[in-house]
Amino acid sequence: MDRRELAAFLRSRRERITPADVGLPAGTRRRTPGLRREEVAQLAFISTEYYTRLEQARAPRPSREVLTGLARALRLGDIERDHLHHLAGAPPGPPAGPSREVRPSIANLLRRLPNAAAIVLSATYEVIAWNDLAAALMEDFSALSRRDRNFVRRAFLGPHPDGRRLYGVSDADEFAQTSAQGLRAAAARYPDDPEVTELVAELRSGSEEFARLWESHDVSAQPTLCKMLHHPLVGPITVNCDVLDIADRDQRVIIYTADPGSPAEEALRLLSVVGTQRMGVPG
């Protein structure tokens, strides 16, 4: 444990956070930038005395629970969280659950793809970011709850409007198999995450197909690179599907594009104009 470096790191992280960042009133008598020590201690669920001793390089080694609380209170990113653990002499273990935090540069990438529909999927197939064209092509994800934005849940448990599975995509059955295998791998990576455990239990009890695939113990599958989606406004659209892995977040960017000069390109161009305004039919 490097007490001096740990103290300096905690102090630097505390000073960069404003009260507004964590939902606290700013007040008028702040002599230094950032949060007060007692505020960090409150957010981390530890005593002010102990936190003060940490910043003074006088405290004993913090437990993993304390480090987790500090990382949450100080809004640390994944790299910063790992650094905190190393300074405290407690190398970080795997994250408790899949990351849902989308890197700002990835969010900007989605917005800079006006002619492509793009989404970001978490390790459990939850749509955690999307651009406007993806919402027009599939569904207005902003109008859905987190639960309903999960593709693997939707593939196996619905809804399936007009009998079409997962927006009428041509490889829906293949995706169902792939997602079941991918979820099994994610469950092994995050064995202590209650959301993953609950999702698997719900799918196993609600879908005989998922239960059968789960019992096969398969964890690999080949992605489909070209697929067709049935859109309620413009009809079938054939798109190329490219996947970019974000290894440090255990996320994937899915990008749907059409061949230049194809009817699908015209359909996507129309959807980029129409958006979700006339999307009265649920996805």
Side-chain angles (χ1 to χ4, degrees), residues 46-250:
I46 60 177
S47 71
T48 300
E49 178 185 3
Y50 180 63
Y51 180 76
T52 300
R53 293 174 65 192
L54 282 171
E55 280 204 6
Q56 293 173 344
R58 298 189 299 111
R61 175 182 295 174
S63 66
R64 289 185 180 274
E65 290 76 14
V66 168
L67 294 172
T68 298
L70 289 171
R72 180 182 62 248
L74 296 171
R75 300 294 182 91
L76 301 186
D78 292 340
I79 294 177
E80 292 174 318
R81 177 186 68 90
D82 290 352
H83 184 59
L84 174 68
H85 277 261
H86 285 297
L87 291 177
S99 174
R100 300 185 63 256
E101 180 183 352
V102 178
R103 188 183 298 129
S105 60
I106 297 298
N108 289 333
L109 171 65
L110 266 59
R111 288 191 288 269
R112 292 171 183 269
L113 295 172
N115 299 318
I119 60 176
V120 179
L121 293 181
S122 73
T124 56
Y125 294 87
E126 178 187 343
V127 180
I128 54 178
W130 57 90
N131 63 8
D132 290 341
L133 187 51
L137 178 64
M138 299 178 191
E139 181 163 20
D140 183 4
F141 296 110
S142 66
L144 303 178
S145 65
R146 276 189 58 195
R147 171 188 174 81
D148 293 332
R149 291 201 298 265
N150 188 286
F151 274 8
V152 65
R153 179 185 278 116
R154 192 180 188 99
F156 287 100
L157 302 181
H160 299 148
D162 301 324
R164 290 176 174 173
R165 193 178 200 179
L166 200 65
Y167 310 109
V169 66
S170 58
D171 68 332
D173 292 341
E174 290 85 352
F175 173 82
Q177 179 177 345
T178 300
S179 65
Q181 296 172 359
L183 187 59
R184 174 171 278 285
R189 293 195 299 275
Y190 307 104
D192 299 323
D193 182 62
E195 288 194 8
V196 175
T197 301
E198 291 171 8
L199 175 60
V200 171
E202 178 186 0
L203 290 166
R204 293 183 71 181
S205 63
S207 168
E208 292 183 2
E209 179 187 9
F210 180 86
R212 175 177 53 78
L213 291 169
W214 187 261
E215 292 305 320
S216 72
H217 291 267
D218 291 335
V219 293
S220 64
Q222 295 298 320
T224 300
L225 301 181
C226 183
K227 59 183 66 184
M228 180 183 293
L229 288 86
H230 289 269
H231 191 276
L233 180 63
V234 299
I237 304 175
T238 300
V239 292
N240 302 308
C241 177
D242 292 289
V243 181
L244 306 178
D245 286 325
I246 310 174
D248 64 315
R249 299 291 175 94
D250 202 3

